[in-house]
C-alpha cells in the first residue's frame, strides 16, 4: 500500500496513520500509530484498529468503514506491541515504549510532506 491509500484490510500493528478529521482537541492531520487489531464480527474480512496519537491520546477503535472515512495510511514503524489494557497502554506511553516508533513516524510524515510539495 502506498501513502494516502485507504484500505481497512491493510492495517497492521505499527502502521502510521494521519487522521482526516478532528478527534476532540486533536486536529485533522494528527499522526498516530495502530497499536491493536481485533476481528470485526460485522465485517468478517476486516479488522477493527485502535489508534494512539503521538501526543498520547488514545482516540479509540475504528471499524472498516470508519477507517476509510477517518484514517490515512502513511507508512509502517518498527513497532511490536501487544495491547493488554488501557492502563498498561498509558503506562507504556509514559515509560517511552512508543518513542522510537513515533520518531520514525515523524520522519516518514516529514518525508511524505516534502514529496507532496515537490509533486
Amino acid at each position: 500500500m502506498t501513502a494516502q491509500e485507504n484500505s481497512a484490510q491493510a492495517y497492521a500493528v505499527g502502521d502510521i496513520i494521519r487522521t482526516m478529521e478532528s478527534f476532540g482537541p486533536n486536529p485533522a492531520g494528527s499522526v498516530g500509530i495502530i497499536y491493536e487489531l481485533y476481528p470485526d464480527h460485522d465485517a468478517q474480512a476486516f479488522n477493527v484498529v485502535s489508534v494512539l496519537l503521538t501526543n498520547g491520546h488514545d482516540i479509540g477503535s475504528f471499524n472498516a468503514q470508519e477507517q476509510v472515512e477517518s484514517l490515512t495510511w502513511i507508512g509502517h514503524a518498527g513497532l511490536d506491541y501487544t495491547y493488554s489494557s488501557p492502563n498498561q497502554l498509558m503506562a507504556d506511553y509514559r515509560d517511552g515504549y512508543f518513542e522510537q516508533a513515533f520518531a520514525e513516524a515523524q520522519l516518514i510524515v516529514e518525508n511524505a510532506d516534502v514529496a507532496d510539495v515537490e509533486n
Side-chain angles (χ1 to χ4, degrees), residues 20-69:
M20 295 190 298
E21 58 188 295
S22 62
F23 291 92
N26 305 294
S30 295
V31 175
I33 288 187
I34 305 291
Y35 68 84
E36 176 189 36
L37 303 171
Y38 57 91
D40 184 345
H41 298 292
D42 292 333
Q44 294 178 351
F46 300 104
N47 285 319
V48 174
V49 301
S50 299
V51 176
L52 180 68
L53 297 180
T54 57
N55 63 6
H57 290 177
D58 178 358
I59 59 170
S61 299
F62 297 80
N63 67 27
Q65 184 62 38
E66 293 166 333
Q67 291 169 37
V68 171
E69 295 169 353

Side-chain angles (χ1 to χ4, degrees), residues 79-106:
L79 177 71
D80 182 25
Y81 188 74
T82 302
Y83 176 78
S84 61
S85 72
N87 288 340
Q88 187 61 53
L89 178 69
M90 290 300 97
D92 291 341
Y93 177 81
R94 282 190 308 273
D95 292 342
Y97 186 88
F98 296 95
E99 283 181 10
Q100 181 63 39
F102 285 146
E104 290 176 36
Q106 190 59 42

